[in-house]
Every structure is written in C-alpha cells, then in structure tokens.
C-alpha cells in the first residue's frame, strides 16, 4: 500500500464516539501514516490533544475556527499559546474566514484571524486555513502576512500553511501558490458535478498539494452523504492520479512528503 496522509480530519467530533478505534484501524489498514486533527475552539483543542497523546500517528492543530469567533475572549490567546507548546501540535488551525454561515461578524472574524496569524508567526507554526465564500478578503490578508514573514527573513515564509478543502478558482490558486501556500484537496474532487474543480486540480502542481478528508464531512463518491472517515483519503488520491494521468503511488508519496515538509513531522 502506498503511504498516505490525511491532513485534515475532525476525529474528535462526537460522530466518531461510537467507533473511533475501528475508524482508526481502517485508516491504518489503508496505508495512512499520519492524521492531522484540527481544533475548532478551546474545548476541541483539549480533545484533539488527548487523542494525539494516545497514538503516535495522530497530530494536532490548535486554533479557533471563524464560526467559533464569538467564543474569543481576553484569555483565548494565552490559552492557545500554552496549548501550542504541546509536542504533538504542528500547526495553528483551523482558522480563517467563513462568509457562508455568518456565525460571527466579519470584522470579528478578521480580528480573531489576525491574532492567530501573529501567534503562528511567534511560534513558527504553519496555519491551517478555512475559506468559505471569503476569498476576496482572506487571500489578501494571507498573502500580505506571508510577504511580511519573507521580508523579516522568517523561516515560516517558506511553509506558511495550507488552504484546506480548496473550493476557489484558478486565479485564487495562482495567488496562494505564489505566496508559498499548499492547497488541500478533499472529497468534492470526486463528485460528478465538480468539473471546474477537477479541471483545476488536473493543472495544479503535485508538489504543492495535500490530501484531506475533512471527516466526518465531505465524503467522496461513492460515499457522498455518508459519514466520512480517514480511510477514504485514498479515494481523493486516486482521483488526483486519474486527473493528472500519473500513478497513485506517485500522488501518495508526494502528498505525504508535502505534509511532512509543511508540518515538520
């Protein structure tokens, strides 16, 4: 089996409580070597760290999701700083902007994002980015942040982070790739009604792609609509291989190397 890495799996969510051990067993059988579990708020930071402590192949990202921005308070930044000191924390995330659900005012989302970008720079940790209907604001913020890192000679400028579950277009992809970011590909690339995404993925450099499930969400075809799980990251890798006309083993090995470079594991 080729080596695989799921760089975005919400394994701490309660939908996995009944059978988490079996879900992980299936993942390892499929050839997964690493799974990154991103947090959504402070309570989930604690959950993902507990999971990462129990299994050598599990790693954590800590952060406050834009849809949880209203939970941010005067103590949150210090709490994240302490959590990020854990040896299994390899990124700040899941952070970003979400203008689809509008669970928090846009200006608050931006303030929370900027605070966490500053923390990432302080700690030298890459960021795991959420972007939903917010490219016009998010991409300029992130490209400017990366440019500031580069101007300061900060090593993080060479591996600033990943735009998780890419859904924007080719022009946006060109901008984030130019700024050194990786692009995460999830189950929708396998959907029959996703020709634009498939066309884009066919043209993206494999050296800058990560594969993800976003479990328990975004299950790939033919499991669409069912609970997703990390073993199905192989379906994403298979689709990329098909679109780029290259062997599955090449996709698996390169995306695994990409994840290792980004997250330093």
């Amino acid at each position: 089996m080729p080596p695989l890495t799921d760089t975005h799996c919400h394994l701490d969510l309660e939908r996995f409580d009944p059978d988490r051990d079996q879900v992980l067993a299936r993942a390892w059988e499929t050839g997964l070597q690493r799974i990154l579990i991103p947090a959504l708020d402070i309570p989930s930071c604690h959950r993902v760290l507990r999971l990462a402590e129990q299994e050598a192949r599990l790693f954590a990202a800590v952060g406050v999701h834009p849809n949880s921005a209203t939970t941010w308070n005067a103590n949150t930044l210090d709490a994240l700083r302490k959590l990020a000191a854990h040896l299994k924390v390899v990124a700040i995330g899941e952070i970003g902007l979400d203008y689809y659900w509008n669970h928090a005012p846009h200006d608050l989302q931006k303030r929370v994002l900027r605070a966490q970008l500053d923390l990432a720079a302080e700690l030298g940790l890459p960021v795991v980015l959420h972007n939903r209907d917010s490219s016009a604001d998010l991409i300029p913020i992130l490209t400017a942040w990366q440019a500031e890192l580069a101007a300061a000679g900060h090593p993080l400028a060479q591996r600033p982070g990943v735009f998780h579950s890419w859904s924007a277009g080719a022009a946006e992809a060109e901008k984030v790739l130019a700024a050194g970011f990786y692009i995460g590909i999830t189950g929708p690339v396998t959907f029959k009604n996703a020709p634009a995404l498939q066309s884009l993925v066919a043209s993206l450099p494999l050296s800058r792609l990560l594969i993800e499930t976003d479990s328990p969400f975004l299950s790939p075809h033919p499991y669409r609509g069912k609970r997703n799980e990390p073993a199905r990251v192989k379906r994403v890798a298979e689709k990329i291989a098909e679109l780029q006309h290259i062997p599955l083993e090449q996709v698996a090995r390169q995306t695994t190397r990409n994840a290792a470079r980004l997250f330093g594991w």
Side-chain angles (χ1 to χ4, degrees):
M1 290 182 289
L4 294 164
T5 302
D6 184 355
T7 57
H8 203 105
C9 172
H10 295 285
L11 197 62
D12 64 304
L13 295 187
E14 62 183 13
R15 289 178 68 182
F16 289 115
D17 287 351
D19 61 344
R20 191 174 283 107
D21 289 344
Q22 293 91 330
V23 167
L24 282 172
R26 288 191 290 271
W28 310 139
E29 288 168 7
T30 309
L32 265 77
Q33 293 186 341
R34 301 279 192 279
I35 298 174
L36 178 63
I37 316 171
L40 302 174
D41 52 25
I42 294 298
S44 71
C45 287
H46 291 285
R47 293 197 304 268
V48 302
L49 285 175
R50 283 196 296 271
L51 287 172
E53 288 171 346
Q54 296 167 16
E55 163 60 57
R57 293 166 285 189
L58 298 179
F59 293 82
V62 296
V64 174
H65 190 284
N67 290 338
S68 302
T70 56
T71 69
W72 190 273
N73 60 45
N75 301 315
T76 305
L77 188 61
D78 281 342
L80 286 175
R81 184 178 287 108
K82 292 173 183 174
L83 288 160
H86 195 289
L87 291 176
K88 296 303 288 284
V89 171
V90 296
I92 299 298
E94 177 178 352
I95 67 175
L97 300 175
D98 190 315
Y99 293 175
Y100 178 81
W101 290 111
N102 276 316
H103 287 321
H106 295 183
D107 61 338
L108 175 61
Q109 291 188 41
K110 291 177 188 176
R111 289 199 302 272
V112 169
L113 169 62
R114 289 180 192 278
Q116 293 180 98
L117 291 176
D118 289 344
L119 181 64
E122 173 191 331
L123 302 177
L125 290 172
V127 291
V128 175
L129 296 160
H130 175 96
N131 174 25
R132 190 148 189 203
D133 293 353
S134 61
S135 292
D137 282 352
L138 182 62
I139 291 175
I141 290 171
L142 268 295
T143 54
W145 176 69
Q146 188 274 340
E148 291 167 7
L149 294 172
H154 197 305
L156 192 59
Q158 303 302 315
R159 53 179 197 100
V162 55
F163 277 77
H164 139 72
S165 192
W166 188 262
S167 61
E172 292 86 355
E174 185 177 346
K175 291 175 183 175
V176 304
L177 290 172
F181 288 91
Y182 288 85
I183 288 178
I185 306 301
T186 46
V189 74
T190 68
F191 294 171
K192 294 179 180 179
N193 63 344
L197 178 60
Q198 291 167 356
S199 177
L200 174 61
V201 170
S203 69
L204 292 174
L206 186 63
S207 62
R208 304 295 289 285
L209 297 185
L210 299 180
I211 52 174
E212 319 172 334
T213 59
D214 199 21
S215 301
F217 314 109
L218 300 180
S219 214
H221 178 80
Y223 309 102
R224 186 174 184 178
K226 300 179 181 178
R227 186 194 70 173
N228 203 3
E229 61 178 75
R232 293 179 185 158
V233 80
K234 186 177 181 182
R235 296 286 301 122
V236 177
E238 289 169 345
K239 190 63 179 182
I240 294 172
E242 174 193 323
L243 292 169
Q244 297 201 356
H245 306 290
I246 55 178
L248 170 62
E249 290 76 12
Q250 184 179 348
V251 174
R253 287 195 172 87
Q254 184 63 57
T255 54
T256 292
R257 280 196 294 265
N258 296 345
R261 177 178 181 266
L262 179 59
F263 298 119
W265 54 34

